[in-house]
Amino acid sequence: MDSVRADQPYSLLSRGFHWVTALLVLVAFLVSVGGPESRIYSQQNSFSLGLHELLGLTVFILTALRLVARIFDPPPPAVEMPGWMHSLSRLVHWVLFTLLIITPLSAIWAVWAEGHALTPLGLGTLSPMIAKAADFGSTLADIHGLLGDAIMWVAGLHGAAALYHHFWLRDAVLTAMVPWLRPK
Ligand code: HEM
Ligand code: HEM
């Protein structure tokens, strides 16, 4: 099949949301603190935890704004590709949007259920607004970690698919998100 170049890239706003979010998610993942509760909430890890919470909360707010902005500023028309590939790519996008919302929400719920305050770096302290349920909170914290891992896996495959489109199929999927890669 001859690939067809999409003439329209994503808007500057969509590209800004996309790449800032990708960067923040990557750094949030890299600075995440694991291990037992005593380690996560130790004095030694308070900077990493605070940074992780700040970045994660920012991702949540950016994603909420992005989903609203998307109504008024929709993606460009899809690049021509087989139907199954188009459906799969839309599915992956919605899985990513869902993960970007539920990963931070699961963390807020887990942290509060465990009886801890939120301490996003530089933004003070947000005491629990729900009743303590330590076992539930700890299970939810584990689920949060798995959701964080899932974002990295799905986004990694999604990024690899974008590179496959660019270098193998030679279509305009990647250049829609990185217009400066377009051939002159
Ligand atoms: C997209 C955003 C986020 C990603 C990708 C992410 C990712 C992760 C990952 C992978 C872990 C597990 C670390 C490990 O076991 O080595 C983790 C743990 C944690 N995250 Fe996040 N996180 C995000 C947002 C947040 C937010 C918004 C908060 C708090 C408001 C938060 C608080 C925590 C806490 C407290 C832990 C330790 C959980 C435990 O095991 O008890 N995270 N995060
Ligand atoms: C944490 C990392 C990432 C996340 C959460 C993420 C998320 C998303 C989401 C939700 C969309 C759909 C945008 C919309 O419809 O408004 C999208 C589109 C896109 N992303 Fe990512 N992405 C990430 C990393 C990457 C990387 C590393 C690449 C390239 C190597 C990439 C390339 C693209 C491209 C080319 C599109 C447009 C695809 C199309 O229109 O079919 N993304 N991304």
Side-chain angles (χ1 to χ4, degrees), residues 41 53-54 57 61 107-109 111-113 115-130:
Y41 294 95
E53 292 190 1
L54 177 67
L57 289 172
I61 292 165
I108 298 169
W109 200 1
V111 169
W112 280 347
H116 301 288
L118 286 179
T119 52
L121 210 64
L123 294 185
T125 301
L126 259 168
S127 301
M129 293 191 199
I130 53 171

Side-chain angles (χ1 to χ4, degrees), residues 10 18-19 22 25 66 70 75 89-90 93 96-97 100 151 155 158-159 162-163 173-174 177:
Y10 279 78
H18 180 272
W19 291 113
V25 167
R66 179 177 179 185
R70 208 173 177 278
S89 92
R90 293 298 157 235
H93 293 169
L96 283 167
F97 278 133
L100 293 171
I151 293 195
H158 155 84
L163 296 178
V173 168
L174 182 62
M177 209 39 113

Side-chain angles (χ1 to χ4, degrees), residues 10-19 66 73-75 177:
Y10 279 78
S11 69
L12 185 62
L13 181 69
S14 306
R15 282 182 271 136
F17 274 129
H18 180 272
W19 291 113
R66 179 177 179 185
D73 176 24
M177 209 39 113

Side-chain angles (χ1 to χ4, degrees), residues 5 12 15-16 30-31 33 39 57 67 87 92 97 129 141 146 163-164 169 171 180-181:
R5 292 192 56 79
L12 185 62
R15 282 182 271 136
L30 292 176
V31 302
V33 185
R39 177 173 186 274
L57 289 172
L67 287 171
S87 306
V92 169
F97 278 133
M129 293 191 199
L146 293 174
L163 296 178
Y164 171 76
L169 300 179
D171 63 19
W180 58 264
L181 279 180

Side-chain angles (χ1 to χ4, degrees), residues 21 24-26 28-37 39-41 49 52-60 63 99-101 103-111 114 116 118-120 137-138 140-152:
T21 302
L24 296 186
V25 167
L26 178 66
F29 180 80
L30 292 176
V31 302
S32 63
V33 185
E37 228 179 310
R39 177 173 186 274
I40 292 164
Y41 294 95
L49 182 62
H52 178 79
E53 292 190 1
L54 177 67
L55 297 173
L57 289 172
T58 310
V59 166
F60 175 68
T63 305
L99 286 169
L100 293 171
I101 292 290
T103 306
L105 282 184
S106 65
I108 298 169
W109 200 1
V111 169
E114 284 183 316
H116 301 288
L118 286 179
T119 52
S138 139
L140 205 52
D142 290 344
I143 293 175
H144 168 71
L146 293 174
L147 290 173
D149 291 344
I151 293 195
M152 298 313 292

